[in-house]
Amino acid sequence: MIRPILIHPDPRLKKACDPVTDITEEVKRLAEDMLETMYAAPGIGLAAPQVGVTRRVLVMDCIKDGPPEPMVLINPQTVWASEDVSTYEEGCLSIPDQYAEVKRPSAVTVRWTGLDGAEEERTFGGLWATCVQHEMDHLDGKLFIDYLGPLKRQMITRKMEKLKRERARAI
Ligand code: K2U
Ligand code: ZN
């Protein structure tokens, strides 16, 4: 089922998430719901804290045109990051309609556990690299606005607080 996406500022988006100890039916249902929620947004990635679950689970599908390639990463860890960096204008489903340039390593090697319990490792480049790092930051309570200067970050936070007030009134 599609789950509501938390909007910044929210304490659950700033928490360091807990590792998944065993892959229960509940974790499988969470991953399924996260993929459904991500596609509906639409987005190309989503981390569990964004739907209020502070567990180390993220989903991704950065394929634009072509058959979808949904990925579920449980307890992901970066094992290598390239020296050279790429700049990408990032957005975030928890910070709607705000975009800013963020510099990140152009390529990263990530190790994780799949839904089937198997250990996986893959090197990501391009938009996949940006996306997986953006999602893994979420698992550590870090948002892309944390890479911006204090004034720009504060301006965006104020806009989100206003948006939340308006949404609360609309209900
Ligand atoms: O974590 C999220 O909020 C999902 C983001 C992931 C993302 C942000 C920046 C750069 C790459 C991935 C959403 O997918 S934002 C929507 C989006 C869609 C296409 C390209 C970039 C961002
Ligand atoms: Zn995000």
Side-chain angles (χ1 to χ4, degrees):
M1 95 202 142
I2 292 177
R3 300 193 189 198
I5 294 177
L6 300 183
I7 303 298
H8 167 76
D10 186 307
R12 291 163 291 180
L13 291 172
K14 299 304 286 171
K15 241 181 77 61
C17 298
D18 305 313
V20 170
T21 44
D22 50 331
I23 301 174
T24 61
E25 282 314 303
E26 185 225 346
V27 169
K28 289 178 183 165
R29 181 58 192 276
L30 169 67
E32 193 183 302
D33 289 353
M34 285 172 63
L35 279 167
E36 196 180 340
T37 303
M38 178 191 79
Y39 286 122
I44 56 172
L46 193 67
Q50 292 183 275
V51 290
V53 178
T54 53
R55 311 280 294 278
R56 304 190 76 82
V57 180
L58 70 89
V59 297
M60 280 197 301
D61 183 352
C62 301
I63 299 291
K64 273 194 274 275
D65 34 22
E69 193 182 311
M71 294 186 77
V72 176
L73 280 65
I74 295 169
N75 302 334
Q77 292 172 310
T78 302
V79 296
W80 171 81
S82 62
E83 288 291 305
D84 51 305
V85 294
S86 298
T87 304
Y88 194 91
E89 191 173 47
E90 299 195 11
C92 182
L93 296 175
S94 295
I95 309 178
D97 306 322
Q98 305 303 313
Y99 299 91
E101 290 204 336
V102 178
K103 279 187 181 17
R104 298 180 188 273
S106 309
V108 285
T109 303
V110 178
R111 191 175 295 159
W112 71 92
T113 305
L115 271 182
D116 56 0
E119 281 295 304
E120 310 230 15
E121 181 171 309
R122 185 186 297 196
T123 300
F124 295 97
L127 182 56
W128 285 93
T130 298
C131 184
V132 74
Q133 293 177 82
H134 176 108
E135 302 312 333
M136 288 177 71
D137 271 354
H138 272 300
L139 303 184
D140 293 332
K142 200 169 169 75
L143 301 173
F144 81 91
I145 56 172
D146 295 332
Y147 294 96
L148 310 182
L151 286 179
K152 190 145 169 49
R153 181 169 54 249
Q154 204 174 67
M155 185 190 71
I156 291 175
T157 300
R158 292 242 170 84
K159 276 186 184 170
M160 291 299 107
E161 286 166 339
K162 184 168 176 289
L163 174 76
K164 289 172 80 162
R165 281 198 301 275
E166 283 159 2
R167 283 190 178 179
R169 269 204 298 275
I171 295 169

